[in-house]
């Protein structure tokens, strides 16, 4: 049983989990080691207690919205606003989550409450914070979506929208610290990695604007990157550490969610090839008569409802029917393939007279 107070409690847990597996911020002082990231979380925890969890429901909502509600924004942009912009958002998200899965299952960093038993996650935040900690998946979901939308809004002259989006990224990061489920380095590295993905994706899109004949090569590279990532997380070894006789993180519990995250890239690249080859969807509703634009908006709303059904219902059915690995992989593929190819084909079918 670990001691409950002071830095020795941290060191006691570290001896169990293996310090080589933990990314940490430390300061060496006379008399011992102070873990600055843990001290910061404890300060936030004391503040949270002092205000009687007044901010907790809001922070939980901000945090949960990043992984439950934001997925609909790229789909709406792709279907109704501008296909290229929506595709940029979807590509940034898919690559960011692939990178998150690979880094997370390479670093294998344990959650803050494992490193120090004084950390008590707030509310129901722990329900969506299983497995490893570094980097933050919520941050690497929010940043590519909010970030890409901020870039697009700035180009359109809506600076205030960009400012709001950037503020929401920072708020999402802070919410993960406030709730006690991520350390500062978890969210900061998640932010930096996602910003790098945004930058790289924008570079690729600009290159393809000038060299459209090269797109199939990039689609193939995306597919191969996804396949390599799946093989890597399935074949690599994982630490198996115990506290009080109980395994800290079961590697097999992390693989399904990471598999679905990586598999988004499969639906994206295959869906893009199918769409550009056969569907040829063009959502230029601003150039259409008002009645056609209204029809497009209604179809978009129906598509978002079906998309929510896929996310919240079909995923569970696939996992139950096919198993955790195969079900999650098919769900990840279906998620982006539906957005990029299936529903655009339906929308074009219903609006054939208004689209070329």
């Amino acid at each position: 049983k670990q001691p409950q107070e002071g830095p020795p409690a941290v060191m006691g847990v570290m001896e169990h989990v293996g310090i080589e597996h933990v990314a940490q911020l430390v300061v060496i002082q006379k008399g011992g080691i102070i873990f600055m990231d843990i001290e910061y979380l404890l300060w936030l925890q004391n503040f949270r207690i002092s205000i009687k969890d007044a901010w907790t429901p809001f922070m939980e909502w901000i945090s949960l919205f990043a992984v439950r509600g934001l997925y609909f924004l790229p789909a709406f942009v792709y279907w109704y606003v501008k296909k290229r912009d929506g595709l940029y958002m979807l590509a940034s998200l898919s690559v960011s989550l692939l990178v998150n899965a690979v880094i997370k299952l390479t670093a294998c960093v344990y959650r803050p409450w494992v490193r120090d038993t004084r950390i008590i996650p707030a509310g129901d935040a722990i329900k969506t914070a299983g497995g490893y900690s570094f980097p933050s998946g919520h941050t690497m979901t929010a940043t590519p979506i909010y970030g890409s939308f901020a870039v697009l809004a700035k180009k359109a002259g809506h600076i205030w929208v960009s400012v709001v989006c950037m503020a929401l990224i920072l708020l999402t990061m802070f919410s993960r610290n406030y709730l006690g489920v991520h350390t500062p380095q978890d969210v900061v590295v998640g932010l930096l990695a996602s910003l790098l993905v945004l930058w790289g994706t924008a570079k690729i899109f600009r290159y393809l604007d000038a060299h459209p004949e090269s797109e199939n090569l990039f689609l193939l590279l995306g597919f191969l990157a996804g396949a390599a990532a799946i093989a890597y997380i399935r074949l690599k070894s994982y630490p198996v550490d115990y506290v009080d006789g109980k395994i800290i993180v079961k590697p097999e519990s992390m693989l399904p969610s990471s598999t679905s995250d990586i598999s988004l890239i499969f639906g994206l690249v295959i869906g893009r090839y199918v769409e550009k080859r056969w569907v040829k969807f063009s959502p230029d509703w601003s150039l259409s008569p008002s009645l056609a634009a209204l029809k497009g908006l209604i179809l978009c709303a129906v598509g978002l409802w079906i998309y929510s059904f896929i996310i919240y219902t079909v995923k569970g059915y696939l996992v139950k029917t096919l198993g955790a690995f195969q079900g999650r992989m098919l769900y990840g593929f279906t998620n982006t393939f539906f957005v990029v190819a299936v529903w655009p084909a339906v929308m074009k079918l219903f609006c054939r007279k208004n689209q070329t």
Side-chain angles (χ1 to χ4, degrees), residues 168-201:
L168 287 171
I169 291 174
L170 296 176
L171 187 57
T172 301
M173 294 169 61
F174 176 72
S175 73
R176 303 306 287 165
N177 293 157
Y178 179 87
L179 296 172
V181 293
H182 277 294
T183 61
Q185 60 268 33
D186 292 345
V187 297
V188 170
V189 171
L191 172 67
L192 295 177
S194 295
L195 290 177
L196 185 61
V197 167
L198 282 171
W199 176 81
T201 305

Side-chain angles (χ1 to χ4, degrees), residues 312-334:
Y312 301 127
T313 304
V314 172
K315 177 170 66 174
Y317 174 79
L318 291 175
V319 170
K320 184 178 180 180
T321 304
L322 302 177
F325 178 73
Q326 292 85 352
R328 288 278 192 154
M329 177 176 283
L330 183 56
Y331 161 72
F333 170 84
T334 303

Side-chain angles (χ1 to χ4, degrees), residues 66-342:
V67 293
R68 295 285 181 88
L70 272 185
Y71 277 90
F72 300 101
L73 183 57
F76 177 78
V77 172
Y78 183 82
W79 293 338
Y80 196 76
V81 181
K82 189 176 182 180
K83 183 171 74 172
R84 184 189 183 281
D85 292 347
L87 197 61
Y88 170 60
M89 297 177 73
L90 287 166
S92 299
L93 173 64
S94 299
V95 175
S96 181
L97 289 180
L98 185 152
V99 171
N100 175 262
V102 171
I103 295 177
K104 183 167 287 190
L105 295 186
T106 299
C108 298
V109 176
Y110 295 123
R111 293 282 177 171
W113 61 86
V114 176
R115 292 176 50 198
D116 193 317
T117 55
R118 294 174 297 169
I119 299 294
I120 303 174
D124 295 326
I126 197 171
K127 292 182 180 180
T128 58
Y132 298 119
S133 182
F134 175 89
S136 165
H138 286 66
T139 301
M140 294 192 71
T141 301
T143 302
I145 299 179
Y146 284 134
S148 58
F149 196 71
V151 171
L152 299 173
K154 183 180 179 181
K155 289 182 178 180
H158 304 302
I159 304 299
W160 68 271
V161 176
S162 297
V163 173
V164 170
C165 287
M166 298 308 292
L168 287 171
I169 291 174
L170 296 176
L171 187 57
T172 301
M173 294 169 61
F174 176 72
S175 73
R176 303 306 287 165
N177 293 157
Y178 179 87
L179 296 172
V181 293
H182 277 294
T183 61
Q185 60 268 33
D186 292 345
V187 297
V188 170
V189 171
L191 172 67
L192 295 177
S194 295
L195 290 177
L196 185 61
V197 167
L198 282 171
W199 176 81
T201 305
K203 286 283 188 181
I204 292 173
F205 269 59
R206 282 195 291 270
Y207 176 83
L208 292 178
D209 286 340
H211 305 279
E213 70 281 359
S214 301
E215 183 176 0
N216 286 346
L217 174 60
F218 279 91
L219 294 180
L220 177 60
L221 291 175
F223 184 89
L224 293 177
I230 290 290
Y232 172 71
I233 67 170
R234 294 279 291 179
L235 297 176
K236 76 176 291 290
S237 60
Y238 294 91
V240 180
D241 301 309
Y242 297 81
V243 170
D244 295 334
K246 296 181 179 180
I247 190 169
I248 298 174
V249 174
K250 296 180 180 179
E252 60 269 21
S253 68
M254 281 297 301
L255 293 179
S257 61
S258 297
T259 298
S260 61
D261 287 345
I262 294 171
S263 297
L264 293 174
I265 198 79
F266 297 137
L268 174 72
V269 299
I270 295 175
R272 171 57 184 162
Y273 182 81
V274 169
E275 187 278 324
K276 74 168 186 168
R277 181 72 190 274
W278 293 289
V279 180
K280 300 176 182 179
F281 175 63
S282 178
D284 296 326
W285 307 109
S286 60
L287 304 178
S288 304
S290 57
L291 185 60
L294 178 61
K295 181 191 291 187
L297 186 60
I298 293 172
L299 285 170
C300 185
V302 174
L304 291 174
W305 180 84
I306 297 174
Y307 188 39
S308 68
F309 181 76
I310 292 173
I311 293 175
Y312 301 127
T313 304
V314 172
K315 177 170 66 174
Y317 174 79
L318 291 175
V319 170
K320 184 178 180 180
T321 304
L322 302 177
F325 178 73
Q326 292 85 352
R328 288 278 192 154
M329 177 176 283
L330 183 56
Y331 161 72
F333 170 84
T334 303
N335 185 308
T336 43
F337 188 77
F338 173 81
V339 173
V340 175
V342 174

